[in-house]
Amino acid sequence: MLRRVLFALSSLAMLPFVPVASAEDLAGQASIIDGDTIEIHGERILLLGIDAPEHDQLCETAGSQYRCGQQAAFALTDQIGSKTVDCAPRDVDQYGRVVAVCSAAGEDLNASMVRQGWAPAYRHYSTA
């Protein structure tokens, strides 16, 4: 029995360490980067499972272009307002950014951006 416990512990030590900010660091006033990226206390956080247009991206509807990336960022800004944002880290991406599910006043920001039509659900990474 002891041998199995020691083996399990030694196996865990061999796993790659991926630092994730503490939950305390992932709560606070958010700065909006774009429709699926925020920053809290200098930590870039990607909203898990969604893919909003980039801030400077243009989209087209009925033959006219509009700044869909900017509008998605504004929608997230309006949703958050001055509320505290709480993020639950789920992963770290290849660039070292935290990937998380975030909420403001109890509302899931990731799901809300999809419901409002500002970001499609990115099923490749999450089925949440």
Side-chain angles (χ1 to χ4, degrees), residues 45-107:
I45 302 164
L46 301 178
L47 301 182
L48 174 70
I50 70 171
D51 189 23
E54 299 303 315
H55 190 270
D56 59 351
Q57 185 174 336
L58 297 175
C59 295
E60 187 173 320
T61 186
S64 296
Q65 287 191 333
Y66 67 101
R67 301 185 69 167
C68 57
Q70 184 182 49
Q71 289 183 3
F74 287 160
L76 186 56
T77 299
D78 288 346
Q79 187 171 6
I80 293 171
S82 62
K83 299 177 208 124
T84 297
V85 175
D86 296 297
C87 295
R90 296 290 197 266
D91 202 357
V92 174
D93 76 0
Q94 63 189 6
Y95 304 106
R97 297 174 296 193
V98 172
V99 181
V101 175
C102 299
S103 62
E107 183 174 8

